[in-house]
Amino acid sequence: MSGRSRSAPYAPTKLRFVASNRRFEGRVSEGNPPGIYGRTRKGWLTRCLLALLTAFLCTVVSPFLATVLAVNYTTQTTPNSTAQTENSVQQAKALYDAGRFAEAVKVLEQAATTFGATGDKLNEAMTLSNLSLVYQQLGQWTQAEKAIRKAIASLHAQSLNLLKNGDNSKQRFAIFAQALDVQGRLQLAQGQTQAALSTWQEAAKIYKQIGDEATLTRNRINTAQAMQALGLYRQASKILTEVQQSFTKLPDSPLKATGLRSLGNILRVVGDLNKSREVLEESLTVAKRVQSSTATGDTLLSLGNTALAQGKTQLSLDNKALAEKETQAALKYYQQAALVARPTTRIQAQLNQLSLLVEKEQFPAALALGSQIQPEMSKLPPSRTSVYAQINYAQSITQLRQKTTVETSSWLDIAQILSSAVEQARSLKDQRAESYGLGTLGGLYEKTKQFSEAQNLTKQALLIAQTLEPPDIAYQWQWQLGRLLKAQGDIKGATAAYDEAFKTLESLRSDLVAINPEIQFSFRESVEPVYRELVDLRLQNQGNSETMQYNLTQARNVIESLQLAELNNFFRSPCVEAKVAIDTVVQQDKKAAIIYPIILPDRIEVILTLPEQKELRKYTTVIPQEKVESTVQNLRKSLLDVAGTFQVQEKSQEIYNWLIRPAEALLSKSGIKTLVFVLDSSLQNIPMGVLYDAQQQKYLVEKYAIALTPGLRLFDPKPLQQVQLKALTAGVGEQRFGFPPLQNVPRELKEIQSEVPRSEELLNQEFTKTNLQKELQLAPFSVVHIATHGEFSSDPQKTFILTWDDLLEVKDFDTLLRVSESSRSSNIELLVLSACKTALGDKRAALGLAGVAVRAGARSTLASLWSVDDQSTADLMSEFYRQLKNGVAKAEALQRAQLAVFAKDNSPYFWAPYVLLGNWL
């Protein structure tokens, strides 16, 4: 887990030192140039750096650390083995543990050559497996793949010969399985998740056959992560639960503490933060019982990281008190870890603590801690850990210098720390670390507005990053280069650099979380701004008509991609992919207009797509983002007041004027009947139908049918098939788990059955996960209607619907509602969730609704943004199905149903919360 320093801009002192002959020299002259560059970015680089420091704990459980060289490894004694070669392999292990990977490569290459020359095939294969792991650390994937393939081929041939000769040596088969574990790690790192899963499952068979339960447990943790990355949440959860149970049965030992810690870290990655905390606390208990200071320190660091992730989650939900509580817990864990941990772990804990103190503006404590850390860092042996520690420290003291008037390190001091980190990375031949060092140094020049030097260093960092596989850090330097060019007025060059950053992110989008799990916790700071700043540039760039159309098209495509990236980040796995082309979707409905409102720091831009018109339209409202956010928030509050009709109209007409008023003539001229919105950020939490036209004194729903979509490429909008509807209705009307009763649920389900005769019902005790899945497997349903309490949240663990026996989380929708897991297709045309709501205070809560819609696999999802009087819900649903039965399109059916409720009670509280996502036809 990373440190948490903020990289906010500051008014810098003039800084002068230039890269020359691979060294950095310079001088500082005092001065305070005016102006502040850029927008606040919350420590995105720092997060990525320390994520790499704990990569083995956060991604997969490394077989290098756990088996081949670390614990079980001994070279096989043969007549050709030499003590010198054995010592070399142990030396390589020590170098690996120290993070001196380039040196470890040389030693292992020599050892492999010696083993091969003496005919010691088994030790050669083991050494090649470890060599592959070291190559992976260096990002040299071609060499890593070549080494592991050679090792496995050799081991496979040996195994066949041994079987023919009746030799069933457990040790030899264990080595084969460990090599497969290494191959799986390589495949996962390269984004070949399905291949990694298959490889680890093959290794598991061998571990079971030879009875190696300890290593099998490690293998199953890896398998669970691969399943999670593929969206197989229930299978992954089952495996992790079994793994925890198997650890619990083991006697206390340092190995048990380490295994539990690895499990806790994996649970953090997959987003189960509460379970992560529980398992890590168990690991800490074991470590203390066996009096292992190393295990205790490592686990305290992991507990701090999980507590910090919990704090970030609570902050996103606007639970500031809980967020502060978790942050303080993280600080305490880091402090405790620093007291007992080994030197490398102690430095990591102190760095995390330092960046948190800076973020919390506890400057005296931060200054005192910073003065303790620097001399300790100088004692670290040269390694990747040391390089990253120096970079992270430089980031934190930069923030201290920015935020406090107390005398701190000078800009030259900070630059010298970064220069030292770069030189050390070069001496280690660690290109990834070198790229980070150069890029961070370039960022320092960016802050001091020495753009030429910053650009030179950034290009050096980028050149190295582009040679690494995967190029997961390249986008950071492309982004930085774009900012530098923009600051110098080179908009064309800046746009090109941002385009490259965007392309890199797109190429990594399906693998980004797997490559760097920390991304899921810093998405808003480290990924989303790339998309938004590129859109900003595209929409500023005018030019001729052809250029403007190109920029509008590109901006629209970037926003669509951002929607996909947000959903993947929400699920913490690469499970959301585009299905259809935008142009194909647009042409499906000749009476529908597509509206993209985009909230930028100083304005709202709206891109309008009209049917049968190639040209995109754009209109702009200059307004600060803070004003937009406050208006939306106030409208949301007014909507929850039954008597707040006047306040709703007052606030919603402002948003109408931003989004609809400039396009009124075009919409009328084009004969538009339906508006489809691809909404941005906070706008997702309010229903568009409530926007008020003060001139005509009409709500938008009175003028148009309305639908929403998290992205046009996610749903294929085809008309509801002209077949008799068949519905599965389910609901909970009685009080359960503290949720109040919904007395009209039985009536709601009965009225649906009267409109859709071919229906099955699961009410109260009958509505369980098991029964729901059973019904869906027995027969195809075109409609699934669920009337029960539920909540949509930006936290997938808090996005659920209530069944009789449990809370059904969003991640379970995939396996429950998709009738064909193999083809990932569905017969469900419409999923209806009545009585649900978006979480109060959660600005991104609608992500949960979009997540449900995507995860369910239904073409369309109808849901409510807040809990409504269930009598009006029953009335609306009855009318909605009556319209569907008569062949009316879904969006228009919802419009008519809402207007029917509106005719009885015009308060938006009753008729406005219902929204349709996905296919509107």
Side-chain angles (χ1 to χ4, degrees):
M1 197 75 172
S2 67
R4 289 308 196 265
S5 59
R6 291 181 180 271
S7 297
Y10 52 86
T13 304
K14 292 291 279 187
L15 182 65
R16 288 284 181 267
F17 48 106
V18 181
S20 174
N21 295 325
R22 301 173 68 86
R23 296 185 62 80
F24 300 91
E25 299 176 356
R27 60 185 177 82
V28 174
S29 60
E30 294 299 316
N32 294 297
I36 295 177
Y37 171 75
R39 55 173 297 199
T40 300
R41 291 176 291 114
K42 303 177 182 177
W44 60 272
L45 178 61
T46 303
R47 295 184 222 282
C48 294
L49 292 174
L50 279 188
L52 289 171
L53 283 178
T54 55
F56 277 82
L57 297 180
C58 289
T59 53
V60 294
V61 185
S62 168
F64 195 107
L65 294 181
T67 57
V68 183
L69 287 182
V71 178
N72 297 335
Y73 181 83
T74 55
T75 54
Q76 302 299 299
T77 303
T78 69
N80 295 321
S81 295
T82 66
Q84 182 179 1
T85 305
E86 293 176 28
N87 291 336
S88 295
V89 176
Q90 295 302 326
Q91 179 189 358
K93 192 269 178 188
L95 291 168
Y96 180 93
D97 287 345
R100 297 163 66 179
F101 304 122
E103 294 173 67
V105 163
K106 290 183 179 179
V107 174
L108 287 171
E109 285 178 335
Q110 181 59 49
T113 300
T114 301
F115 283 133
T118 57
D120 190 345
K121 295 297 184 182
L122 185 59
N123 279 314
E124 179 190 21
M126 294 175 70
T127 305
L128 286 170
S129 294
N130 288 311
L131 184 59
S132 176
L133 279 168
V134 185
Y135 279 137
Q136 290 175 44
Q137 281 290 338
L138 291 170
Q140 298 176 13
W141 304 103
T142 302
Q143 295 94 320
E145 189 167 355
K146 181 178 179 182
I148 195 60
R149 281 186 176 179
K150 184 176 180 181
I152 288 176
S154 176
L155 288 165
H156 184 67
Q158 292 178 57
S159 297
L160 291 176
N161 290 332
L162 291 171
L163 287 172
K164 289 178 181 178
N165 297 327
D167 186 343
N168 292 315
S169 169
K170 286 187 177 182
Q171 189 170 22
R172 292 177 183 273
F173 283 112
I175 294 168
F176 192 4
Q178 290 165 12
L180 290 172
D181 278 344
V182 174
Q183 186 180 44
R185 185 185 191 281
L186 173 61
Q187 290 165 332
L188 187 69
Q190 293 178 302
Q192 301 169 19
T193 311
Q194 185 62 61
L197 177 59
S198 299
T199 300
W200 280 329
Q201 288 173 336
E202 184 179 349
K205 292 177 183 178
I206 299 175
Y207 291 131
K208 289 178 182 178
Q209 182 180 345
I210 64 178
D212 188 347
E213 291 296 328
T215 315
L216 175 61
T217 298
R218 186 203 67 222
N219 169 277
R220 298 190 78 199
I221 294 175
N222 293 343
T223 300
Q225 187 183 350
M227 286 182 169
Q228 183 272 340
L230 290 168
L232 305 176
Y233 293 102
R234 300 184 78 186
Q235 295 93 318
S237 177
K238 181 180 178 182
I239 288 176
L240 291 174
T241 300
E242 291 172 353
V243 166
Q244 183 183 7
Q245 292 171 349
S246 68
F247 274 131
T248 303
K249 296 174 183 177
L250 294 175
D252 288 347
S253 67
L255 183 61
K256 178 179 178 179
T258 300
L260 286 167
R261 185 178 73 252
S262 298
L263 176 59
N265 285 322
I266 289 292
L267 288 165
R268 180 174 67 248
V269 170
V270 302
D272 197 342
L273 299 180
N274 292 333
K275 195 72 172 178
S276 170
R277 185 84 163 260
E278 175 188 318
V279 171
L280 288 172
E281 286 173 348
E282 186 180 354
S283 171
L284 181 62
T285 300
V286 173
K288 288 180 176 180
R289 280 181 191 154
V290 299
Q291 298 181 342
S292 170
S293 59
T294 296
T296 299
D298 289 347
T299 303
L300 284 166
L301 175 61
S302 292
L303 273 165
N305 293 338
T306 293
L308 192 57
Q310 289 177 308
K312 295 294 182 183
T313 299
Q314 293 300 331
L315 191 60
S316 72
L317 298 173
D318 208 30
N319 295 329
K320 295 180 181 178
L322 287 175
E324 178 63 22
K325 180 181 178 181
E326 296 296 354
T327 301
Q328 291 301 321
L331 275 173
K332 186 176 180 180
Y333 283 129
Y334 292 144
Q335 290 166 350
Q336 292 174 341
L339 293 175
V340 299
R342 55 186 173 176
T344 52
T345 304
R346 180 171 66 249
I347 290 293
Q348 291 176 47
Q350 288 177 324
L351 287 169
N352 282 8
Q353 183 184 347
L354 174 62
S355 56
L356 258 183
L357 289 171
V358 174
E359 183 175 329
K360 303 299 292 181
E361 298 189 349
Q362 298 178 23
F363 299 131
L367 287 165
L369 181 59
S371 64
Q372 295 175 29
I373 292 175
Q374 191 166 14
E376 289 297 315
M377 285 196 307
S378 64
K379 298 176 184 178
L380 291 176
S383 66
R384 175 179 284 184
T385 300
S386 174
V387 172
Y388 288 159
Q390 292 176 76
I391 296 172
N392 181 268
Y393 179 72
Q395 288 271 312
S396 290
I397 61 174
T398 294
Q399 303 313 307
L400 268 177
R401 183 169 174 82
Q402 170 202 342
K403 292 184 174 183
T404 180
T405 57
V406 179
E407 184 176 349
T408 60
S409 301
S410 69
W411 303 128
L412 181 58
D413 291 335
I414 298 170
Q416 286 175 336
I417 293 170
L418 291 172
S419 300
S420 173
V422 171
E423 289 300 321
Q424 193 171 111
R426 285 172 172 166
S427 70
L428 294 168
K429 294 182 173 58
D430 190 331
Q431 289 188 302
R432 182 173 289 270
E434 182 183 356
S435 179
Y436 269 120
L438 286 167
T440 310
L441 189 55
L444 188 64
Y445 276 110
E446 176 190 4
K447 296 175 190 300
T448 58
K449 298 188 182 300
Q450 297 180 78
F451 299 126
S452 178
E453 292 91 340
Q455 196 168 320
N456 178 43
L457 289 164
T458 303
K459 286 182 176 178
Q460 289 183 48
L462 176 58
L463 187 64
I464 295 172
Q466 288 174 324
T467 66
L468 303 175
E469 298 179 44
D472 55 300
I473 60 174
Y475 88 89
Q476 298 169 19
W477 312 137
Q478 290 160 338
W479 178 20
Q480 184 163 291
L481 182 60
R483 298 195 306 270
L484 289 166
L485 293 169
K486 180 182 177 183
Q488 297 173 81
D490 184 357
I491 301 302
K492 183 178 180 181
T495 304
Y498 269 95
D499 274 338
E500 290 303 310
F502 168 67
K503 290 175 184 175
T504 301
L505 281 173
E506 284 293 277
S507 70
L508 293 170
R509 178 159 46 81
S510 62
D511 310 315
L512 194 57
V513 174
I515 293 168
N516 187 352
E518 174 57 15
I519 286 294
Q520 66 186 254
F521 300 113
S522 61
F523 182 86
R524 303 271 171 245
E525 300 97 16
S526 61
V527 176
E528 183 178 348
V530 180
Y531 292 86
R532 293 195 176 278
E533 290 166 19
L534 174 55
V535 168
D536 195 351
L537 280 171
R538 285 286 183 193
L539 296 181
Q540 284 183 35
N541 201 342
Q542 298 299 315
N544 57 35
S545 176
E546 184 177 348
T547 300
M548 289 179 63
Q549 282 301 306
Y550 177 78
N551 283 326
L552 286 174
T553 301
Q554 292 301 107
R556 182 186 67 177
N557 293 343
V558 172
I559 287 297
E560 283 274 342
S561 293
L562 174 58
Q563 299 278 356
L564 297 183
E566 282 186 314
L567 284 169
N568 277 329
N569 188 67
F570 170 78
F571 286 115
R572 297 181 173 95
S573 75
C575 59
V576 180
E577 288 298 329
K579 297 178 180 178
V580 290
I582 296 177
D583 291 338
T584 300
V585 177
V586 170
Q587 298 307 317
Q588 289 288 337
D589 187 350
K590 307 303 182 184
K591 298 295 182 181
I594 317 297
I595 298 177
Y596 292 81
I598 303 167
I599 302 174
L600 296 172
D602 58 346
R603 66 196 192 279
I604 287 182
E605 298 272 20
V606 179
I607 298 176
L608 175 65
T609 302
L610 295 171
E612 300 184 299
Q613 293 189 24
K614 292 183 178 180
E615 287 193 356
L616 301 178
R617 311 299 177 99
K618 185 198 80 160
Y619 43 96
T620 306
T621 302
V622 177
I623 184 171
Q625 182 174 351
E626 294 78 11
K627 170 66 173 175
V628 175
E629 301 288 350
S630 64
T631 302
V632 171
Q633 185 176 8
N634 289 334
L635 173 58
R636 170 72 183 197
K637 290 179 181 178
S638 298
L639 285 166
L640 299 179
D641 182 359
V642 177
T645 300
F646 174 77
Q647 290 81 3
V648 168
Q649 292 177 352
E650 183 182 41
K651 295 174 176 64
S652 68
Q653 66 180 293
E654 290 187 70
I655 303 175
Y656 180 93
N657 291 337
W658 303 336
L659 307 189
I660 306 299
R661 180 78 65 197
E664 282 180 333
L666 277 172
L667 296 174
S668 177
K669 182 180 178 181
S670 302
I672 298 301
K673 301 296 183 184
T674 303
L675 301 181
V676 181
F677 290 89
V678 183
L679 293 175
D680 190 17
S681 62
S682 60
L683 288 171
Q684 297 170 350
N685 284 335
I686 57 173
M688 290 295 100
V690 82
L691 302 188
Y692 190 66
D693 181 354
Q695 293 180 8
Q696 296 186 12
Q697 297 186 343
K698 287 185 177 182
Y699 292 102
L700 194 61
V701 74
E702 296 181 81
K703 302 164 68 174
Y704 300 99
I706 296 168
L708 310 178
T709 177
L712 284 185
R713 295 185 292 169
L714 287 172
F715 301 95
D716 189 1
K718 295 179 179 178
L720 190 63
Q721 297 176 1
Q722 298 301 308
V723 297
Q724 189 173 8
L725 296 177
K726 184 174 183 180
L728 173 61
T729 63
V732 177
E734 298 182 15
Q735 181 176 342
R736 296 294 292 172
F737 302 107
F739 291 94
L742 297 169
Q743 296 177 352
N744 279 285
V745 163
R747 174 197 158 202
E748 179 179 333
L749 300 190
K750 292 299 181 187
E751 291 193 2
I752 293 170
Q753 288 179 328
S754 69
E755 298 296 340
V756 187
R758 297 181 65 202
S759 300
E760 298 293 335
E761 180 182 283
L762 297 173
L763 179 61
N764 292 329
Q765 293 91 336
E766 295 178 345
F767 179 31
T768 64
K769 289 182 182 180
T770 302
N771 288 344
L772 177 61
Q773 190 168 29
K774 186 185 299 182
E775 288 291 339
L776 290 169
Q777 290 174 342
L778 286 175
F781 292 94
S782 54
V783 176
V784 175
H785 184 109
I786 300 176
T788 184
H789 288 287
E791 185 163 286
F792 308 118
S793 167
S794 60
D795 181 355
Q797 286 187 284
K798 296 182 179 180
T799 297
F800 63 87
I801 64 168
L802 173 70
T803 64
W804 182 258
D805 59 343
D806 204 353
L807 299 181
L808 178 59
E809 294 183 2
V810 62
K811 61 185 180 182
D812 293 324
F813 271 66
D814 182 77
T815 49
L816 280 173
L817 295 181
R818 292 179 187 263
V819 297
S820 175
E821 190 171 293
S822 60
S823 65
R824 314 298 285 174
S825 63
S826 174
N827 292 327
I828 301 174
E829 293 286 346
L830 175 65
L831 169 67
V832 180
L833 301 170
S834 66
C836 294
K837 64 177 182 178
T838 51
L840 285 176
D842 184 352
K843 296 178 181 178
R844 301 273 183 165
L847 260 179
L849 174 54
V852 169
V854 171
R855 211 54 165 162
R859 291 188 187 276
S860 312
T861 299
L862 173 61
S864 55
L865 295 179
W866 60 86
S867 295
V868 191
D869 170 76
D870 62 335
Q871 181 174 346
S872 61
T873 298
D875 292 339
L876 182 138
M877 292 300 171
S878 179
E879 181 63 27
F880 175 68
Y881 283 104
R882 186 177 300 117
Q883 296 294 333
L884 285 183
K885 185 178 65 173
N886 294 332
V888 177
K890 296 171 190 172
E892 187 178 352
L894 175 59
Q895 178 193 24
R896 294 183 183 183
Q898 287 180 296
L899 292 177
V901 175
F902 177 85
K904 297 178 182 179
D905 192 325
N906 65 3
S907 171
Y909 174 81
F910 294 106
W911 58 263
Y914 309 97
V915 293
L916 180 71
L917 278 83
N919 175 27
W920 62 91
L921 296 176

